[in-house]
Amino acid sequence: MHQKRYLICSAVLAVLFLLLSLLVWLRPAMLSTIDHLFSQWPLHRSEQLDTFFGAIAATATIIPITAALLLLSIGLCWRRSWTLMIWLWGNLILISGLGKGIKSMIARPRPSFAGHAERASFSFPSGHTLLAVTFVLTCIVIFPYLMASVSSRCQSLIKKWVMAGGMVYILLVMMTRVYFGVHYPSDLLASLCLSGAVSSLTYGVFVHFSESDRAVASNQIK
């Protein structure tokens, strides 16, 4: 039952991602209204905002994300959740690889918004957003395993804070990409869909084959 929900979620997000990819690849003009909603934002940059958003963006790169996931892996080792640790790293590698492959295949140029930082790489999807969403989803998934010995009331409260904080973090990372003028909004939406689709699919598969982790996984739905 739980695997079915993950697969349905993955399928819906995958369809949305494919739709966005096809529009960006074949009919980018159809997204012009959405993609130019914040096109003037780079014109209103300030030194203070540059510092703030620059610091946020720096956290959504491969080194800090890998370091944070390594700490989570230590907790999983302590809990002997070996299958979930395999999922954690396999999911990260798969999403990162897909992101780079799709970026090269679609080869969407960076925005030409005034004031943006010139970049040599392509725009679709956003690597920063992919990593941020993957990290937050990983934290949400792993939370019940790491907090198994805590009371259910405390688990529920902490999980709500983790989810709320994760959503704020993802939003801030997405804002940095538009603020610096290096991504279109459709790049960011596509990254959300891709990370969500792959994470839902891979987690559903690993839960199916993980006998020892199924009881904890079932509590995530409650």
Side-chain angles (χ1 to χ4, degrees):
M1 182 63 181
H2 302 314
Q3 289 77 29
K4 185 177 180 180
R5 294 186 184 184
Y6 292 127
L7 291 176
I8 291 175
C9 180
S10 177
V12 171
L13 292 173
V15 169
L16 291 175
F17 174 76
L18 288 174
L19 178 60
L20 282 169
S21 299
L22 288 174
L23 288 176
V24 168
W25 200 4
L26 303 175
R27 296 288 189 272
M30 295 182 65
L31 296 170
S32 60
T33 301
I34 296 176
D35 282 337
H36 288 80
L37 283 175
F38 307 101
S39 60
Q40 297 302 309
W41 199 0
L43 292 173
H44 304 286
R45 290 171 56 175
S46 67
E47 183 178 350
Q48 292 77 12
L49 285 176
D50 280 4
T51 301
F52 174 73
F53 282 127
I56 295 295
T59 67
T61 54
I62 192 63
I63 293 179
I65 292 294
T66 300
L69 292 180
L70 182 60
L71 292 177
L72 293 179
S73 296
I74 295 174
L76 291 176
C77 288
W78 183 62
R79 289 288 182 180
R80 298 184 182 277
S81 297
W82 313 117
T83 304
L84 191 59
M85 188 171 65
I86 294 173
W87 168 79
L88 183 156
W89 292 109
N91 188 60
L92 176 66
I93 293 171
L94 179 58
I95 291 175
S96 298
L98 285 173
K100 289 184 178 180
I102 294 169
K103 191 185 288 278
S104 298
M105 181 178 66
I106 294 182
R108 186 185 201 185
R110 294 278 179 172
S112 57
F113 303 151
H116 83 287
E118 189 171 345
R119 302 286 292 276
S121 59
F122 296 116
S123 182
F124 183 94
S126 164
H128 283 73
T129 306
L130 275 177
L131 288 173
V133 175
T134 302
F135 172 69
V136 170
L137 291 177
T138 300
C139 289
I140 292 173
V141 164
I142 289 177
F143 164 77
Y145 298 85
L146 298 181
M147 306 298 293
S149 59
V150 180
S151 66
S152 59
R153 184 176 181 179
C154 289
Q155 280 193 36
S156 178
L157 180 62
I158 297 174
K159 186 175 182 179
K160 288 179 181 179
W161 279 103
V162 170
M163 294 180 68
M167 292 175 64
V168 171
Y169 175 63
I170 291 172
L171 180 60
L172 286 173
V173 171
M174 293 172 67
M175 289 173 64
T176 68
R177 313 329 293 149
V178 177
Y179 174 78
F180 288 116
V182 293
H183 281 290
Y184 295 103
S186 56
D187 300 334
L188 311 179
L189 292 175
S191 299
L192 281 171
C193 293
L194 178 59
S195 181
V198 175
S199 297
S200 297
L201 176 62
T202 57
Y203 183 61
V205 171
F206 272 93
V207 166
H208 179 73
F209 289 104
S210 175
E211 295 290 342
S212 61
D213 293 337
R214 286 184 184 179
V216 180
S218 65
N219 292 331
Q220 294 182 339
I221 310 298
K222 297 179 181 179

